[in-house]
Every structure is written in structure tokens, then in C-alpha cells.
């Protein structure tokens, strides 16, 4: 489909700094999600350290990049488990913080046979009271930064330092507390919104309209919206068009962390200098392949798996969004 190589570029692996959530998740696989009170019996269970930034970091490692994580855990057994689990996965965790008097983030997640999930998370606000200084010189050691919305003060400092260092400053624009996106977005060079966050900020469920409105709101940045099975849309700055890329068709087993895998793949592709069209194809396929596997971020594909799947993806070319009818 393209003459541009998606293989890992020569030289050292590109380094991406990820900032934000680190959570100990307990995943239960169930036939159907509960509709009310009662007892539900899972038929599979997994405990894994993940979270938006953590899962994105793992995707980067799986795709041939080098990922460092700045996150915070409590000085407790769950925190030790989170750091050990992420470290064993190839993520650099040496700058993770252990916070006395705070509890590590945990969540319980039910995933049904259609791949949909119900998430019950617990975040201790005290985890993120401490905010370290961040300098442009420190960030210059990385090829890109990716922040989520879970640690806004540190995310903002990191984005500002990245812009000062001339590095891509990427924001995972998921649903967040009041004013968080508005605080972080002006410092970002690239913003990838989830569909719910885009609808909330733009005030419309129309995907194409929301991309246009968000671009006008944050005109300095690359703007994209990911919409699950509907695919992804973005504002193409050179042409002024809104582009749409259909999602690859896969048998969905588990959608947990698919968006995070997309963001990790996107950040690595940007760090490697891929054009936006190829970056979106690469990220979309990585997220889709993850959905075939139960286990949250553990289903992140390898670089070879993504490249092989892209060679066979006949629909992997974007179109003008104005040419397509979307269901609201």
C-alpha cells in the first residue's frame, strides 16, 4: 500500500518518555457484563500493571522503541508489584516515584465475550501531590514525550519542556477532570482525543464536526479523534481536509488498552519521523491487533506483526471525511 518503510529505522531505538498512570489491574473475563446487583462468576483472571501511560510505554517497547515511564505508586505491596511488572516488560522505571502515605492505584475490570468492559478504578489523589521539576535539557535525551491526563501538573511541565527542547509533545486527550484538557492542550504539539472526550469538549456527537471544532480551539496542534470500530479522524494541516481511516477488521476479544496501544504506536512513529498517514495506519493496526487478545496491554503486538498485517490491509488508506456518512 505504501513505498514508505514501516520497519524500525537504523540506529539506536527511538526513546519516548511516557508520563501518567500506573495501575495494578485485576481483569476478570465473563460471558456478559452485569445488568444489576448479584454475583457474577468469571472464567478467566489476570493481574497486570498497566494504565494509559504504562500501556503506551509497553506498546513502544513491543514495537521496537525504548520507553521510560514517569509515574507514581504508593510505598506498598501493590506499588512494588506495579514497578516490578513494568520493569520486567522492558520499560525503564528508574524515575518512578514511591509516595509515603498514599495508596497505589488499583482497578477491577470485567471484560465480556464481545470485548467490552466495565472498569472500577481507584486513584489516591495523594499520589500526584509531588511534582518534580522538568527541564528542556532533561527532555532533550528523548525523541518524543507522551503524557496522559492522570497527573496533570507533571504532564504540563513535561509538555512545556518538550516544546522548549523542540521535541514532539503528545497528549492522550482522554476524558479528564474539569479544565484538565484545556490546561494541557496549549502546550501539546499533537493531541489524540478519545471519542467521549472529543464529544464532551466540542459539544457535539458529530465526529467530523468535532474534529473541526477542536482544530479551531487548538489550532497550533495536530488534532485527531479515535472512535473505536468507526476508525480514526484527523485534521490534515497541509490540505485543510479532515481525513478518515477505517478501523482494521478483527475478531474482538478485549478492547482494554487498545487506545493506549494506539497512543504508544503513534508516539513512536512520530519519534521515528513517519508521515502522518503512515503514522495513523501503523497506530490503527497496532490497536486493532491488540483487540484480538485477552489481557489488556499484554496483547500489544510486535513490530513484525503490525508490518505483516499492514501489507494485507486493503482498506488501509484514508479518505476525506466529507465523503463518508457516519452514524451518530
Amino acid at each position: 500500500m505504501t513505498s514508505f518503510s514501516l520497519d524500525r529505522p537504523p540506529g539506536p531505538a527511538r526513546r519516548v518518555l511516557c508520563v501518567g498512570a500506573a495501575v495494578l489491574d485485576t481483569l476478570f473475563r465473563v460471558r456478559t457484563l452485569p445488568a444489576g446487583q448479584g454475583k457474577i462468576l468469571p472464567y478467566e483472571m489476570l493481574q497486570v500493571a498497566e494504565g494509559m501511560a504504562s500501556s503506551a510505554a509497553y506498546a513502544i517497547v513491543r514495537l521496537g522503541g525504548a520507553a521510560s515511564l514517569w509515574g507514581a505508586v504508593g510505598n506498598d505491596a501493590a506499588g512494588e508489584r506495579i514497578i516490578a511488572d513494568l520493569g520486567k516488560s522492558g520499560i525503564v522505571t528508574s524515575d518512578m516515584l514511591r509516595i509515603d502515605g498514599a495508596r497505589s492505584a488499583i482497578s477491577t475490570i470485567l471484560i465480556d465475550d464481545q470485548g467490552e468492559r466495565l472498569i472500577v478504578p481507584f486513584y489516591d489523589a495523594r499520589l500526584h501531590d509531588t511534582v518534580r521539576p522538568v527541564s528542556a535539557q532533561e527532555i532533550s535525551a528523548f525523541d518524543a514525550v507522551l503524557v496522559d491526563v492522570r497527573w496533570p501538573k507533571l504532564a504540563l511541565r513535561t509538555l512545556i519542556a518538550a516544546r522548549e527542547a523542540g521535541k514532539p509533545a503528545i497528549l492522550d486527550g482522554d476524558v479528564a477532570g474539569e479544565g484538565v484538557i484545556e490546561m494541557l492542550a496549549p502546550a501539546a504539539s499533537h493531541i489524540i482525543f478519545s471519542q467521549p472526550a472529543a464529544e464532551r469538549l466540542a459539544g457535539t456527537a458529530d465526529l467530523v464536526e468535532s474534529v473541526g471544532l477542536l482544530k479551531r480551539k487548538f489550532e497550533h496542534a495536530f488534532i485527531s479523534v479515535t472512535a473505536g470500530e468507526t476508525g480514526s479522524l484527523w485534521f490534515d494541516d497541509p490540505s485543510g481536509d479532515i481525513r478518515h481511516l477505517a478501523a482494521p477488521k478483527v475478531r474482538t476479544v478485549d478492547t482494554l488498552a487498545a487506545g493506549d496501544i494506539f497512543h504508544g504506536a503513534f508516539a513512536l512513529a512520530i519519534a521515528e519521523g513517519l508521515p502522518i498517514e503512515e503514522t495513523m495506519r501503523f497506530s490503527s493496526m497496532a490497536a486493532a491487533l491488540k483487540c484480538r487478545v485477552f489481557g489488556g496491554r499484554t496483547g500489544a503486538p510486535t513490530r513484525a506483526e503490525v508490518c505483516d498485517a499492514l501489507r494485507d490491509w486493503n482498506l488501509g488508506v484514508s479518505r476525506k471525511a466529507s465523503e463518508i456518512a457516519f452514524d451518530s
Side-chain angles (χ1 to χ4, degrees), residues 46-267:
L46 173 69
Q47 281 193 315
V48 59
E50 48 188 4
M52 290 186 286
S54 300
S55 297
Y58 182 63
I60 290 163
V61 171
R62 291 280 286 171
L63 294 169
S68 296
L69 179 66
W70 289 358
V73 298
N75 197 0
D76 52 23
E80 291 301 318
R81 169 72 186 274
I82 290 168
I83 292 176
D85 194 358
L86 295 174
K88 289 177 183 176
S89 298
I91 300 166
V92 177
T93 60
S94 54
D95 286 320
M96 293 277 289
L97 295 183
R98 294 171 174 84
I99 307 299
D100 290 330
R103 288 177 286 179
S104 296
I106 61 173
S107 68
T108 298
I109 303 171
L110 304 183
I111 301 169
D112 70 13
D113 283 347
Q114 286 69 52
E116 296 305 320
R117 72 267 191 187
L118 174 66
I119 304 175
V120 183
F122 171 77
Y123 292 96
D124 188 335
R126 293 171 294 180
L127 280 175
H128 298 148
D129 285 344
T130 301
V131 183
R132 54 168 291 174
V134 184
S135 69
Q137 182 178 3
E138 184 177 22
I139 296 302
S140 65
F142 298 96
D143 298 295
V145 303
L146 168 66
V147 308
D148 69 29
V149 294
R150 289 290 176 258
W151 198 347
K153 292 180 181 178
L154 182 59
L156 180 59
R157 290 187 181 184
T158 304
L159 291 173
I160 291 171
R163 296 299 295 273
E164 290 175 352
K167 305 292 184 177
I170 304 161
L171 170 61
D172 174 354
D174 204 352
V175 174
E178 189 69 31
V180 170
I181 294 290
E182 290 86 348
M183 178 181 75
L184 298 178
S189 60
H190 301 71
I191 310 172
I192 314 297
F193 291 99
S194 66
Q195 184 176 1
E199 291 178 357
R200 187 171 170 181
L201 278 168
T204 176
D206 184 299
L207 285 169
V208 179
E209 185 180 5
S210 70
V211 173
L213 288 170
L214 290 168
K215 180 62 182 180
R216 287 194 286 276
K217 188 177 182 71
F218 308 116
E219 60 183 13
H220 65 285
F222 169 81
I223 298 295
S224 176
V225 175
T226 58
E229 293 182 352
T230 302
S232 55
L233 298 93
W234 68 94
F235 189 92
D236 183 63
D237 290 294
S239 67
D241 295 326
I242 296 173
R243 308 291 298 179
H244 170 258
L245 181 66
K249 299 297 183 183
V250 296
R251 179 180 177 274
T252 299
V253 172
D254 173 12
T255 60
L256 181 67
D260 308 326
I261 303 305
F262 184 104
H263 296 128
F266 181 93

Side-chain angles (χ1 to χ4, degrees), residues 315-326:
L315 298 179
V317 177
S318 71
R319 298 169 56 191
K320 288 184 180 180
S322 58
E323 300 172 354
I324 303 166
F326 294 96

Side-chain angles (χ1 to χ4, degrees), residues 1-5 278:
M1 298 298 298
T2 178
S3 60
F4 200 95
S5 175
E278 302 307 323

